[in-house]
Amino acid sequence: MVNYRVDNLEELLKVLTEEGVTIVGEMESYDYGNFGWILDPDGNKIELSEPK
């Protein structure tokens, strides 16, 4: 799985949803960061992380 570090994950997931990107599950928050997952057009899972 590919992992990308992003700023403001919550807002990014909202924008991606509006653009029709498939979001996998719910964003998860931990002491060390936030994580979310999407699918690319080929169905590959991509992890998005926002470190704290």
Side-chain angles (χ1 to χ4, degrees):
M1 178 182 348
V2 176
N3 177 296
Y4 291 104
R5 285 187 175 197
V6 301
D7 293 322
N8 198 348
L9 178 59
E10 188 172 353
E11 184 63 29
L12 177 59
L13 290 173
K14 288 178 188 176
V15 170
L16 291 173
T17 300
E18 292 170 3
E19 294 291 327
V21 175
T22 301
I23 308 297
V24 179
E26 298 291 324
M27 184 178 81
E28 296 182 14
S29 295
Y30 300 96
D31 291 339
Y32 49 87
N34 299 322
F35 296 85
W37 300 269
I38 62 172
L39 295 180
D40 73 7
D42 293 324
N44 299 304
K45 192 173 179 181
I46 298 172
E47 182 174 75
L48 305 171
S49 65
E50 177 186 13
K52 288 188 179 179

